[in-house]
Amino acid sequence: MELQETELAERLRVAGLRPTRQRLSLAAILFGAGDRHVSAESLHQEALAARIHVSLATVYNTLNQFKAAGLLREVAFEGDRTFFDTNTSNHFHYYLEDSGQLVDIGSEDLEVKGLPELPAGTEIDRIDIIVRLRKSRS
């Protein structure tokens, strides 16, 4: 289901963001085809392929603005690998090492038990779990 520009503009406004041409163009790519995981680099390549002329820096800035507004969830690991997830619900991920893809694991499929006592004055915001997969050697 492709979102119309007016729907995207309203989504941005509700999130507290001004619906600029570049934000709308990137939002159409991000939210136009259901839940997905993108890196800044992959979104930049998609934008260029769609003849949307934006710099990589603009893509990074827009993704971070969307994240801060609650429109995206950041999934970062290994210090330098960062994905942005359009599914902001509480869920977990498989990381397919051979292809570099991130795949959702439903929260109903995983149970977290035995967490240590939390430091005073803190509460759990969310738990990020990434299960790394590779092709079996057999």
Side-chain angles (χ1 to χ4, degrees):
M1 177 184 102
E2 192 170 314
L3 293 173
Q4 299 298 320
E5 188 171 317
T6 54
E7 294 172 277
L8 289 171
E10 183 61 19
R11 185 184 283 192
L12 293 178
R13 279 188 203 96
V14 167
L17 296 171
R18 194 166 49 89
T20 64
R21 180 183 54 78
Q22 289 179 326
R23 284 181 185 150
L24 285 169
S25 296
L26 293 173
I29 295 171
L30 277 169
F31 304 114
D35 290 333
R36 58 192 301 231
H37 308 97
V38 299
S39 66
E41 293 79 7
S42 68
L43 181 59
H44 184 243
Q45 288 302 313
E46 285 185 59
L48 294 178
R51 299 183 191 269
I52 299 167
H53 301 288
V54 294
S55 69
L56 183 57
T58 297
V59 171
Y60 271 106
N61 289 338
T62 302
L63 288 169
N64 283 311
Q65 291 164 354
F66 285 5
K67 179 188 76 167
L71 297 172
L72 294 174
R73 177 178 169 183
E74 183 177 28
V75 181
F77 58 103
E78 289 185 350
D80 65 344
R81 291 209 185 250
T82 301
F83 289 90
F84 293 88
D85 192 344
T86 59
N87 178 356
T88 58
S89 71
N90 188 31
H91 66 284
F92 312 110
H93 297 95
Y94 286 126
Y95 176 68
L96 309 176
E97 291 188 353
D98 297 322
S99 65
Q101 290 182 289
L102 204 61
V103 179
D104 287 347
I105 302 172
S107 59
E108 67 280 354
D109 296 330
L110 189 64
E111 184 177 331
V112 178
K113 289 184 181 183
L115 291 174
E117 187 174 326
L118 302 176
T122 66
E123 65 183 16
I124 295 174
D125 176 42
R126 71 174 195 237
I127 297 173
D128 290 327
I129 295 176
I130 299 173
V131 179
R132 301 173 66 106
L133 303 175
R134 66 172 184 243
K135 288 185 179 174
S136 59
R137 296 184 178 152
S138 56

